[in-house]
Amino acid sequence: MSGAALGLEIVFVFFLALFLLHRYGDFKKQHRLVIVGTLLAWYLCFLIVFILPLDVSTTIYNRCKHAAANSSPLESNNTIGLYAATPVPSQHPCFKPWSYIPDGIMPVFWRVVYWTSQFLTWILLPFMQSYARSGGFSITGKIKTALIENAIYYGTYLLIFGAFLIYVAVNPHLHLEWNQLQTIGIAAANTWGLFLLVLLLGYGLVEIPRSYWNGAKRGYLLMKTYFKTAKLMTEKADAEEALEDVMEEVCKVNESIKYNHPLRKCVDTILKKCPTEYQEKMGRNMDDYEDFDEKRNTYPSEKSLVKLHKQVIYSVQRHRRTQVQWQILLEQAFYLEDVAKNETSATHQFVHTFQSPEPENRFIQYFYNPTVEWYWECLLRPWFYRILAVVLSIFSVIVVWSECTFFSTTPVLSLFAVFIQLAEKTYNYIYIEIACFLSIFFLSICVYSTVFRIRVFNYYYLASHHQTDAYSLLFSGMLFCRLTPPLCLNFLGLTHMDSSISHQNTQPTAYTSIMGSMKVLSFIADGFYIYYPMLVVILCIATYFSLGTRCLNLLGFQQFMGDNDMTSDLVDEGKELIRREKRKRQRQEEGENRRREWKERYGHNREDSTRNRNVHIDPKESNFSDISANRSASKYTRANNRTERDRIELLQDAEPLDFNAAAFTDDPLESESERYQPGGRYLSMSHCRIFDDV
């Protein structure tokens, strides 16, 4: 099993990152470099979180092995007889763990993963962000724009690093080698990441348990959904208006720049990014036979077209995202209303107002039938969320306590360190790996979920169902790469596996060894790393009392607050919007059902009448019928043709309840003749059955 666990986790983490990226990104429409860059950043960060417990268990085994090797000569000299023949492993049970990784693999592995992630977050991903948002029409133009936008970004780093080198060269008391410079760079990056890490961790430790506790309250979730509906409706209207304004500018440019203009290729590129309906509209209004030299118009420059191209990409992405989110929010609101109605059901059968348009799997239909769905949604799920919220709250309290006491080594106050040291005494590697994995996984969930939840206006927003733009995906990759290394160092400090925190002369983990010794910067190792994480207590208190939400609400950014008049108004507005959309969808379903019933009712009669008209008629009988029925035919021909035509139009009409003015006439004879059909059936009776609800 040597190295097998490492290989399995590498493969599993890759598919996990690929699944999450598929949920938020769009593989078909987004650039391949954006997908590859984001996937690599997410993959490396998730890999660090999953592999670190294996590094901890391997380090504990190596410590035991070294301790046994150092104590065996002394024991062999001081023992005689039967005790001298006793093997050392009986006193030091240093058996290999099932996930043991051979020596020399982990340092190389961590060095490759760490420096690749740092290259992504500080150099490549910022450049790709500017490249993705650029409105250039060629690769060279996009690269040039990205370099110009990142000139200040990269120049600041070079200026700070150059000033530091000059200070070291001038000061005769400082003699820094390359390893020390490398350690200083790592410490600077981890300091920036730890500063942001504590902010996100303080929010997630409180908000995640509270979200599950509130998830058990059906009324709370429904009111919050109404609130989101009202806000999203405003954003949706703004997105549609912005798209209309941009499309007007594109239409003007399309009309002014004709087919033989040098910038026509740029206009065609812009048109390809527009929605289909706008492309068709602009294509119909084009007059390509006109030359651009015939009229002396002021043509836009290439720079203005680049700016317009950038606006088109942004507005189209925003409009598409709001449309998809609107449909998802409607489905969520309808489902929560169904849950509220089914809670009082005596049959214990879950009934949906609207059936899902997509057919469900037969396996799911068999096991997750309406009865099971009712018990889960109306009875078990609220209690499951409450129990989960309590468990997560206990984990949050443990994290907060350990963050405030992990610097104390005698006595050991950090609960994470206590658990790991108890398992280390018995060399229970399975327990060590499970405890480490659960601890770092909970910390990662608190931090990463905050990254997925936060929204910086419309510039950064991770939207599910493939609606996240390239800029937000790359920005999330940057945040993950900057937050994960200090998160892992903080976890090792909580468990006292970091020698710089525990101040013990023990073998460090392979992950800590690549970070170098922090003694070069003692004020960071003994000051900032120790006392700054204590601020998580203040942040948790502020999050518990929703101080940030209240401040945003005072600044004009509407937030969901139960004791606010603005929140009540938005909830009422969202409730009315949901009611309106529900009536609209019910009318559509009723129209489709009636249209289906009419086709089933009259489709066979129409086929029978068509078949009867095509039957072969005997010549003698036809002559006799022509002579005897000449007058009746002249009387009813017009009526029968009109009646048959009305029936066909009725069956083919898109909206069955629409009024058909062509079916009525002012001629009393014609109206009287239309009431009767050969066969003794009156159309007025069928009309009464059709329009009985009108």
Coordinates of all heavy atoms in Angstrom, one line a residue, residues 16 20 46 49-50 197 200-201 203-205 207-209 211-212 392 437-453 480 487:
L16 N -13.0 15.7 -8.3 CA -13.8 16.6 -7.5 C -13.7 18.1 -8.0 O -14.7 18.8 -8.1 CB -13.3 16.5 -6.1 CG -13.9 17.5 -5.1 CD1 -15.4 17.2 -5.0 CD2 -13.3 17.4 -3.7
L20 N -16.8 20.4 -9.7 CA -17.2 21.8 -9.2 C -17.0 22.8 -10.3 O -17.8 23.7 -10.4 CB -16.3 22.1 -8.0 CG -16.6 21.3 -6.7 CD1 -15.6 21.8 -5.6 CD2 -18.0 21.6 -6.2
F46 N -7.2 22.0 -3.5 CA -7.9 20.8 -2.9 C -6.9 19.7 -2.6 O -7.1 18.9 -1.6 CB -9.0 20.3 -3.9 CG -10.1 21.3 -4.1 CD1 -10.9 21.2 -5.2 CD2 -10.2 22.4 -3.3 CE1 -11.9 22.1 -5.4 CE2 -11.2 23.4 -3.5 CZ -12.1 23.2 -4.5
V49 N -5.2 20.1 0.7 CA -6.0 19.8 1.8 C -6.2 18.3 2.1 O -6.2 17.9 3.2 CB -7.4 20.5 1.6 CG1 -8.4 20.1 2.7 CG2 -7.3 22.0 1.6
F50 N -6.3 17.6 1.0 CA -6.5 16.1 1.1 C -5.2 15.4 1.4 O -5.3 14.3 2.0 CB -7.1 15.6 -0.2 CG -8.6 15.8 -0.3 CD1 -9.1 17.0 -0.7 CD2 -9.5 14.8 0.1 CE1 -10.5 17.2 -0.7 CE2 -10.8 14.9 0.0 CZ -11.4 16.1 -0.4
L197 N -7.5 35.2 5.5 CA -8.0 33.9 6.0 C -8.8 34.1 7.2 O -9.9 33.6 7.4 CB -6.9 33.0 6.2 CG -7.2 31.6 6.9 CD1 -8.1 30.8 5.9 CD2 -6.0 30.9 7.3
L200 N -12.3 35.6 6.5 CA -13.3 34.7 5.9 C -13.7 33.6 6.9 O -14.8 33.1 6.9 CB -12.7 34.1 4.6 CG -12.3 35.0 3.5 CD1 -11.7 34.3 2.3 CD2 -13.5 35.8 3.1
L201 N -12.7 33.2 7.7 CA -13.0 32.1 8.7 C -13.9 32.6 9.8 O -14.8 31.8 10.2 CB -11.6 31.6 9.3 CG -11.7 30.5 10.3 CD1 -12.2 29.2 9.5 CD2 -10.3 30.2 10.9
Y203 N -16.3 34.7 9.5 CA -17.7 34.7 8.9 C -18.2 33.3 8.7 O -19.4 33.0 9.1 CB -17.6 35.4 7.5 CG -19.0 35.4 6.8 CD1 -19.9 36.3 7.1 CD2 -19.2 34.5 5.8 CE1 -21.2 36.3 6.5 CE2 -20.4 34.5 5.2 CZ -21.4 35.4 5.5 OH -22.6 35.4 4.8
G204 N -17.4 32.4 8.2 CA -17.9 31.0 7.9 C -18.2 30.2 9.2 O -19.1 29.4 9.2
L205 N -17.4 30.4 10.3 CA -17.6 29.6 11.5 C -19.0 29.9 12.1 O -19.6 29.0 12.8 CB -16.6 30.0 12.5 CG -15.1 29.5 12.2 CD1 -14.2 30.0 13.3 CD2 -15.1 28.0 12.2
E207 N -21.7 31.6 10.1 CA -22.8 31.6 9.1 C -23.2 30.2 8.6 O -24.3 29.9 8.3 CB -22.3 32.4 7.9 CG -23.4 32.7 6.9 CD -24.5 33.5 7.5 OE1 -24.3 34.3 8.5 OE2 -25.7 33.4 7.0
I208 N -22.2 29.3 8.6 CA -22.5 27.9 8.1 C -23.5 27.2 9.1 O -24.5 26.6 8.6 CB -21.2 27.1 7.8 CG1 -20.5 27.7 6.6 CG2 -21.5 25.7 7.6 CD1 -19.2 27.0 6.3
P209 N -23.2 27.1 10.4 CA -24.2 26.5 11.3 C -25.5 27.2 11.3 O -26.6 26.6 11.4 CB -23.5 26.5 12.6 CG -22.0 26.7 12.3 CD -21.9 27.5 11.1
S211 N -26.9 28.9 8.9 CA -27.6 28.6 7.6 C -28.4 27.3 7.7 O -29.5 27.2 7.2 CB -26.7 28.7 6.4 OG -25.7 27.6 6.5
Y212 N -27.8 26.3 8.3 CA -28.4 25.0 8.4 C -29.5 25.1 9.5 O -30.6 24.4 9.3 CB -27.4 23.9 8.8 CG -26.7 23.4 7.6 CD1 -25.4 23.8 7.4 CD2 -27.2 22.5 6.7 CE1 -24.6 23.3 6.3 CE2 -26.5 22.1 5.6 CZ -25.2 22.5 5.4 OH -24.5 22.0 4.3
L392 N -22.1 21.3 13.8 CA -21.2 22.3 13.2 C -20.9 23.4 14.2 O -19.8 24.0 14.2 CB -21.8 22.8 12.0 CG -22.0 21.9 10.8 CD1 -22.7 22.5 9.6 CD2 -20.6 21.4 10.3
F437 N -8.1 15.0 8.9 CA -8.9 15.3 7.7 C -10.2 16.1 8.0 O -10.6 17.0 7.4 CB -9.3 14.0 7.0 CG -10.2 14.2 5.8 CD1 -9.7 14.7 4.6 CD2 -11.5 13.9 5.9 CE1 -10.5 14.9 3.5 CE2 -12.4 14.1 4.8 CZ -11.9 14.6 3.6
L438 N -10.9 15.6 9.1 CA -12.1 16.3 9.5 C -11.9 17.7 9.9 O -12.6 18.7 9.6 CB -12.8 15.5 10.6 CG -13.4 14.2 10.2 CD1 -14.1 13.5 11.5 CD2 -14.5 14.3 9.1
S439 N -10.8 17.9 10.6 CA -10.4 19.3 11.1 C -10.1 20.2 10.0 O -10.7 21.3 9.9 CB -9.2 19.2 12.1 OG -9.5 18.3 13.2
I440 N -9.2 19.8 9.1 CA -8.8 20.7 8.0 C -9.9 20.8 7.0 O -10.1 21.8 6.3 CB -7.5 20.2 7.4 CG1 -6.9 21.3 6.5 CG2 -7.7 18.9 6.6 CD1 -5.6 21.0 6.0
F441 N -10.8 19.8 6.9 CA -11.9 19.8 5.9 C -12.9 20.9 6.4 O -13.5 21.6 5.6 CB -12.5 18.5 5.8 CG -13.7 18.4 4.8 CD1 -13.4 18.5 3.4 CD2 -15.0 18.4 5.2 CE1 -14.4 18.4 2.5 CE2 -16.0 18.3 4.3 CZ -15.7 18.4 2.9
F442 N -13.2 20.9 7.7 CA -14.1 21.9 8.3 C -13.6 23.3 8.1 O -14.3 24.2 7.8 CB -14.4 21.6 9.8 CG -15.3 22.5 10.4 CD1 -16.7 22.6 10.1 CD2 -14.8 23.5 11.3 CE1 -17.5 23.5 10.7 CE2 -15.7 24.4 11.9 CZ -17.0 24.4 11.6
L443 N -12.3 23.5 8.4 CA -11.7 24.8 8.2 C -11.8 25.2 6.7 O -12.1 26.4 6.4 CB -10.2 24.8 8.6 CG -10.0 24.6 10.1 CD1 -8.5 24.5 10.4 CD2 -10.6 25.8 10.9
S444 N -11.5 24.3 5.8 CA -11.6 24.6 4.4 C -13.0 24.9 4.0 O -13.2 25.9 3.2 CB -11.1 23.4 3.6 OG -9.7 23.1 4.0
I445 N -14.0 24.2 4.5 CA -15.4 24.5 4.1 C -15.8 25.9 4.6 O -16.4 26.7 3.9 CB -16.3 23.4 4.7 CG1 -16.1 22.1 4.0 CG2 -17.8 23.9 4.6 CD1 -16.5 22.1 2.6
C446 N -15.4 26.3 5.8 CA -15.7 27.6 6.3 C -15.1 28.7 5.4 O -15.7 29.7 5.2 CB -15.2 27.7 7.8 SG -16.1 26.7 8.9
V447 N -13.9 28.5 5.0 CA -13.2 29.5 4.2 C -13.7 29.5 2.7 O -14.0 30.5 2.1 CB -11.6 29.3 4.2 CG1 -10.9 30.3 3.3 CG2 -11.2 29.5 5.7
Y448 N -13.7 28.3 2.1 CA -14.0 28.2 0.7 C -15.5 28.5 0.4 O -15.8 29.1 -0.6 CB -13.7 26.8 0.2 CG -12.3 26.5 0.1 CD1 -11.8 25.1 0.0 CD2 -11.3 27.4 0.2 CE1 -10.5 24.8 0.0 CE2 -10.0 27.1 0.1 CZ -9.6 25.8 0.0 OH -8.2 25.5 0.0
S449 N -16.4 28.1 1.4 CA -17.8 28.5 1.2 C -18.0 30.0 1.2 O -18.9 30.5 0.5 CB -18.6 27.8 2.2 OG -18.3 28.3 3.5
T450 N -17.2 30.7 2.0 CA -17.3 32.2 2.0 C -16.8 32.7 0.7 O -17.4 33.7 0.2 CB -16.5 32.7 3.2 OG1 -16.8 32.1 4.4 CG2 -16.7 34.2 3.3
V451 N -15.8 32.1 0.1 CA -15.4 32.6 -1.2 C -16.5 32.4 -2.3 O -16.7 33.2 -3.1 CB -14.1 31.8 -1.6 CG1 -13.7 32.2 -3.1 CG2 -13.0 32.2 -0.7
F452 N -17.2 31.3 -2.2 CA -18.3 31.0 -3.1 C -19.5 31.9 -2.8 O -20.3 32.1 -3.7 CB -18.7 29.5 -3.0 CG -17.8 28.6 -3.8 CD1 -16.8 27.9 -3.2 CD2 -18.0 28.4 -5.2 CE1 -16.0 27.1 -3.9 CE2 -17.1 27.6 -5.9 CZ -16.1 26.9 -5.2
R453 N -19.7 32.4 -1.6 CA -20.9 33.2 -1.3 C -20.7 34.7 -1.5 O -21.7 35.3 -1.8 CB -21.2 33.0 0.2 CG -21.8 31.6 0.5 CD -22.3 31.5 1.9 NE -22.8 30.2 2.3 CZ -23.4 29.9 3.4 NH1 -23.5 30.9 4.3 NH2 -23.9 28.7 3.6
F480 N -8.1 31.0 -3.9 CA -7.8 29.7 -3.3 C -6.3 29.4 -3.2 O -5.8 28.9 -2.2 CB -8.4 28.6 -4.2 CG -9.8 28.5 -4.1 CD1 -10.6 27.8 -5.1 CD2 -10.5 29.0 -3.1 CE1 -11.9 27.7 -5.0 CE2 -11.9 28.9 -3.0 CZ -12.6 28.2 -3.9
L487 N -3.7 28.5 5.4 CA -4.7 27.7 6.1 C -4.1 26.4 6.6 O -4.3 26.0 7.7 CB -5.9 27.3 5.1 CG -6.9 26.3 5.6 CD1 -7.7 26.9 6.8 CD2 -7.9 26.0 4.5

